[in-house]
Amino acid sequence: MHELSLCQDVIEQLTALAEQHGAAAVGKVTVRVGALSGVEPVLLDFAFLSARTATVADQADFQTEWVPPRVRCRACGTEAEVVPNDLRCPACLSHETDLTRGDELMLASVELLVPDHGPPAAATDHLHVKRGH
Ligand SMILES: [Zn+2]
């Protein structure tokens, strides 16, 4: 199952992040899923629940953020959001477009639960570190 291996990758990244930041657990994880990534939302939820068992993300709140496809036109340079079944340039209707977004599956944000007195955590724009517990 495609979704399960993707979720296992996500869990591996979460485990590495938790280790780096001295976190006891992952509180919340948001995964950005492109509309053209070929991932089924229901299967993804199910796969995550299965992949996270006995990991740092065991109790994590799992959210998905759907990203519509976006293309850049090679003919006229327009960059625009398009619908998944029509990737033509909306400005000049050229088929010569490159997908710039919409086929990804990546971590969008992570909330780590760090015990008090843990090592200082460097927060990045996609990583929220919560102290306490
Ligand atoms: Zn164009």
Side-chain angles (χ1 to χ4, degrees):
M1 187 161 93
H2 180 57
E3 285 79 6
L4 187 57
S5 68
L6 288 169
C7 285
Q8 281 162 346
D9 285 350
V10 166
I11 297 287
E12 268 174 36
Q13 290 178 54
L14 291 175
T15 306
L17 277 174
E19 263 172 34
Q20 267 171 41
H21 295 274
V26 176
K28 185 174 167 181
V29 53
T30 307
V31 173
R32 185 170 298 150
V33 187
L36 296 177
S37 62
V39 165
E40 286 289 332
V42 177
L43 291 181
L44 188 69
D45 283 348
F46 183 76
F48 184 77
L49 291 179
S50 153
R52 73 177 188 172
T53 308
T55 71
V56 286
D58 212 349
Q59 305 291 323
D61 180 12
F62 182 66
Q63 309 266 333
T64 45
E65 185 185 305
W66 288 87
V67 179
R70 213 180 149 81
V71 295
R72 187 184 296 116
C73 179
R74 286 189 213 172
C76 73
T78 298
E79 192 177 328
E81 219 166 77
V82 292
V83 291
N85 58 7
D86 185 2
L87 301 180
R88 285 177 305 168
C89 170
C92 72
L93 302 183
S94 168
H95 289 272
E96 297 289 304
T97 57
D98 295 314
L99 199 64
T100 59
R101 254 181 99 141
D103 63 350
E104 68 272 62
L105 189 141
M106 58 183 282
L107 281 177
S109 75
V110 178
E111 195 178 280
L112 295 174
L113 303 175
V114 178
D116 279 334
H117 314 300
T124 66
D125 53 348
H126 67 283
L127 182 68
H128 309 283
V129 178
K130 225 188 207 176
R131 293 194 169 268
H133 308 297

